[in-house]
Amino acid sequence: MACVLDRQADYNSSLCRWIARGEFIGNTFGRQALGIIWDFAEVNPFSHASGSWSGAVEWVARVIEANADFSGQQATVQQSSATAHPLPNDAATLFCTDPPYYDLVPYADLSDFYYVWLKRSIGADHPSMFADTKTPKEQEIVQLAERNKEYSYKTRERFEELMGQAMQEARRVVEASGIGIVFFAHKGTAAWESQLQAMINAGWVVTASWPIDTERGARLRAINSATLASSIQLVCRPP
Ligand SMILES: C[S@@+](CC[C@H](N)C(=O)[O-])C[C@H]1O[C@@H](n2cnc3c(N)ncnc32)[C@H](O)[C@@H]1O
């Protein structure tokens, strides 16, 4: 239900446009940004139209059904910064990560949009995750120095330092015969240099790379523009 409420928030903000070519309401996060728009449309959440509460229930239920695992196996999920991992040395055979893409997305700021609703819906069940009024920003591994004066300290050097720590932590946790997979996508060479340097400095050896289509072709950002449609999976191993 918390996911349904979040989906409603996504379809009920003053950043929702009317999509004329399909005659339905667009969501807030058509791309990973809160962009200024000329005008907005409102949906009646109690209708059965696109963007309604019942539609959100349907979509969330479909995702849960598609991903449900009835094998009885259990997983443990824990929250921590990638720079200080809770697992002991050599504990894992595989590590797989989709790290921040350098300067592309201000993840923590955007997360606040949902955080304030999640805090109200499931905050009492997970008090340690919702202790603050907003998401933590300090340890976020992103390069935002030129984007926002408030984040002038989030420089390229800081990105490399923190990403280096995260990659070292991954190296510490993965056993010598283990394997790592790092997703990455960016059009700029500075971003690639920073990411690869952090991995090499941490002692990883990149042994293969695969491009995989990971983005929806119909997403707003892809319409009438040349955008990244794929990410690269970097396969790496301890030396
Ligand atoms: C490319 S996104 C991953 C998106 C994810 N695969 C998904 O589909 O939702 C990178 C993520 O890294 C997170 N991140 C940034 N700094 C981090 C840190 N120090 N420790 C752990 N996660 C961090 C960001 O908040 C963001 O959610």
Side-chain angles (χ1 to χ4, degrees), residues 32 99-107 141-147 154-156 159 184-192 194:
Q32 290 168 320
Y101 298 166
Y102 194 60
D103 58 353
L104 281 189
V105 181
Y107 304 97
I141 310 174
V142 273
Q143 201 286 79
L144 297 177
E146 291 99 42
R147 208 190 256 238
K154 295 191 176 185
T155 57
R156 174 178 182 165
F159 177 92
F184 200 68
H186 206 289
K187 293 185 197 170
T189 45
W192 275 101
S194 296

Side-chain angles (χ1 to χ4, degrees), residues 34-84:
L34 293 170
I36 295 167
I37 63 169
W38 290 105
D39 202 356
F40 66 95
E42 282 182 277
V43 68
N44 174 0
F46 304 108
S47 69
H48 292 285
S50 60
S52 67
W53 176 268
S54 60
V57 171
E58 286 293 322
W59 277 102
V60 172
R62 279 171 65 178
V63 171
I64 293 171
E65 279 164 13
N67 291 285
D69 175 10
F70 300 106
S71 67
Q73 291 188 349
Q74 291 201 333
T76 303
V77 180
Q78 214 176 326
Q79 187 193 35
S80 78
S81 173
T83 54

